[in-house]
Amino acid sequence: MRKYLESDLRKIRQIRCFLLDMDGTVFLGNHLLPGAVEFIEYLENGGIPFYFLTNNSSRSKRDYVDKLNRMGLCITQERVFSSGEATALYLKKTMPSARLFIVGTDSLIEEFRQYGFEIDENQPEAVVLGFDTTLTYSKLWKLCNYVRLGLPYIATHPDINCPTENGSMPDIGAMIAFVQASTTRLPDVIIGKPNPPIVEIVSEKSGLPLENTAMIGDRLYTDIALGRAGITTILVLTGETKLEDVEGSPYKPDVIVESLLDLYNFFVQNNGEKNGLNHHHD
């Protein structure tokens, strides 16, 4: 376990709400990572608010809840926020009646339909690029045509790769680069981590200020970059980022741990209280 610095302790003591990345933090593939069960149970038993916050827009909230339940975590839908849902909420505020062309999985498209959007591949008024594991050349071609025409272009998140049990798979950031190479355009808006909209939604839900909120994740440029929004960041080394990556990164975590098990052990050893993570010393 990493030795905590005193500054780390001060940071952790003030946290009242935890945001957890999923892929590479809570699980890889279909396997929970060390400490996931213990840490979540600790938060549940202590009445400490927490939310799963994922940039992966290839699955709906229901998909994630089903997956977490199958792996042994008893989680309800209100605990899950994805960049896909955050994008739907953003467009509901800014373009509520827009017809959309969505490059995404059936789960993502269904999530937008649930928010009342009409999906129109032939005459859209805006395009949404999600993490599409059903991607075809035809979809990319159509997307590039609409982007080149100047339609509003929204991406759900910026992740370049998605960690899996067998290495990384190309994520939406790679598709953004493809579209830019063809059209010279980048998305007008990117919703997911490390951008503010997804955090603002969670802050409204928890009712807690950002300075009392911590993001736990495995990626420097999304999870840890959220520190710029004023929240504490905790890096786990169970996913994409290795310890040697931190030194050269512009995004520095407040705390580094091997896994969620380290955090659980830390809180148990420091006697976290139900009304927060205050620590008593003998």
Side-chain angles (χ1 to χ4, degrees):
M1 178 176 174
R2 179 179 184 269
K3 183 179 178 181
Y4 288 86
L5 302 175
E6 188 56 38
S7 60
D8 295 344
L9 297 176
R10 286 197 299 270
K11 287 275 188 185
I12 293 174
R13 283 193 188 105
Q14 70 183 8
I15 302 309
R16 301 292 178 269
C17 177
F18 287 90
L19 312 180
L20 293 105
D21 176 53
M22 285 196 269
D23 298 315
T25 300
V26 174
F27 58 73
L28 267 182
N30 292 309
H31 300 286
L32 291 174
L33 287 163
V37 171
E38 294 89 342
F39 186 61
I40 297 306
E41 285 183 354
Y42 175 85
L43 297 179
E44 287 273 21
N45 294 337
I48 300 160
F50 67 94
Y51 300 97
F52 293 97
L53 191 64
T54 181
N55 267 0
N56 190 337
S57 60
S58 68
R59 299 167 181 238
S60 68
K61 286 172 65 166
R62 191 184 306 109
D63 292 334
Y64 272 115
V65 168
D66 290 345
K67 177 169 184 167
L68 290 165
N69 289 172
R70 280 197 308 273
M71 289 190 291
L73 290 177
C74 188
I75 300 299
T76 55
Q77 285 196 36
E78 57 265 24
R79 291 285 191 200
V80 178
F81 286 90
S82 72
S83 66
E85 182 183 20
T87 302
L89 286 166
Y90 172 84
L91 286 173
K92 202 68 186 164
K93 288 180 181 177
T94 57
M95 302 178 69
S97 59
R99 297 188 308 277
L100 303 177
F101 172 56
I102 298 176
V103 177
T105 59
D106 289 344
S107 289
L108 182 65
I109 290 168
E110 180 57 31
E111 195 142 38
F112 275 84
R113 283 203 173 105
Q114 287 175 5
Y115 277 95
F117 287 101
E118 180 185 346
I119 311 304
D120 187 341
E121 290 191 16
N122 299 314
Q123 290 187 305
E125 295 167 297
V127 295
V128 174
L129 175 59
F131 179 25
D132 190 359
T133 53
T134 61
L135 191 65
T136 63
Y137 187 81
S138 175
K139 286 186 189 179
L140 276 174
W141 189 358
K142 191 172 284 192
L143 173 63
C144 288
N145 282 344
Y146 289 139
V147 168
R148 203 175 286 110
L149 285 171
L151 266 62
Y153 168 31
I154 298 94
T156 60
H157 62 283
D159 295 24
I160 297 165
N161 290 303
C162 179
T164 74
E165 292 170 297
N166 304 310
S168 294
M169 63 188 290
D171 205 328
I172 190 172
M175 304 308 116
I176 289 171
F178 180 103
V179 175
Q180 183 188 13
S182 176
T183 68
T184 73
R185 274 185 72 190
L186 286 167
D188 302 312
V189 183
I190 301 177
I191 300 297
K193 300 175 290 185
N195 302 302
I198 197 166
V199 181
E200 290 164 2
I201 292 168
V202 179
S203 186
E204 289 173 15
K205 175 81 170 173
S206 72
L208 292 166
L210 293 179
E211 58 264 28
N212 296 126
T213 302
M215 180 72 218
I216 308 171
D218 69 303
R219 292 181 179 176
L220 294 167
Y221 65 98
T222 55
D223 302 316
I224 304 310
L226 275 179
R228 296 178 302 180
I231 66 174
T232 296
T233 56
I234 301 172
L235 175 69
V236 292
L237 301 175
T238 45
E240 183 177 297
T241 302
K242 307 305 175 198
L243 189 58
E244 56 267 25
D245 299 332
V246 176
E247 188 176 343
S249 171
Y251 311 115
K252 306 295 187 195
D254 296 298
V255 181
I256 303 173
V257 292
E258 290 293 332
S259 69
L260 291 178
L261 186 60
D262 279 355
L263 277 180
Y264 168 73
N265 288 334
F266 170 77
F267 290 134
V268 169
Q269 290 163 12
N270 285 270
N271 300 315
E273 291 289 308
K274 181 176 180 180
N275 62 350
L277 300 177
N278 299 311
H279 305 290
H280 300 283
H281 301 280
D282 296 330

